Amino acid sequence: MALISPAAAAIIGHDDSILAQSSTFPQFTPQEITAIMNDFSEPGSLAPTGLFLGVMQSQRRISEPGAVIRGKKGSGGVTVKKTEQDLIIGIYNEPLTPSQCNMVVERLGDYLIDQGL
């Protein structure tokens, strides 16, 4: 069985602190994280502008209000899962599919939530 992993990933605290990130994760601004956090509390707030992470802009797509935000750009995209303390972010490109990225990010997020984190 092949290891499935996003092209870039990070765990970022609700306070913008970087807890873990891959070397390929884009440099982001605190305002970008604030915009993502706002979309969790006000679903749809990213729809007019899209979701920005560093140099990547994606269209905000389907989400689960308060839990998951998904964005798409061309053959790639992003999945963001909110836990009690952190944001789990996975960025994917082909050959990884959106559903594979969603599964990895959301399962990790669910595990952290189950641990009270």
Side-chain angles (χ1 to χ4, degrees), residues 10-78:
I11 301 174
I12 300 170
H14 292 184
D15 62 355
D16 303 331
S17 61
I18 300 170
L19 302 172
Q21 75 177 34
S22 64
S23 61
T24 55
F25 197 80
Q27 190 70 27
F28 60 89
T29 67
Q31 294 82 5
E32 291 166 340
I33 300 304
T34 298
I36 292 169
M37 289 297 296
N38 287 342
D39 198 71
F40 281 112
S41 58
E42 300 171 32
S45 64
L46 288 175
T49 60
L51 188 155
F52 285 87
L53 264 179
V55 296
M56 181 182 151
Q57 178 191 11
S58 62
Q59 292 295 92
R60 183 185 176 281
R61 303 290 279 209
I62 302 167
S63 68
E64 296 170 29
V68 178
I69 298 170
R70 297 180 186 96
K72 181 98 171 100
K73 180 172 182 163
S75 61
V78 61

Side-chain angles (χ1 to χ4, degrees), residues 70 78-79 92 97-107:
R70 297 180 186 96
V78 61
T79 303
Y92 65 90
T97 66
S99 61
Q100 289 171 317
C101 184
N102 295 343
M103 180 183 65
V104 171
V105 170
E106 292 176 39
R107 283 187 179 172

Side-chain angles (χ1 to χ4, degrees), residues 109-117:
D110 289 343
Y111 172 79
L112 294 174
I113 289 168
D114 290 345
Q115 302 305 307
L117 302 173

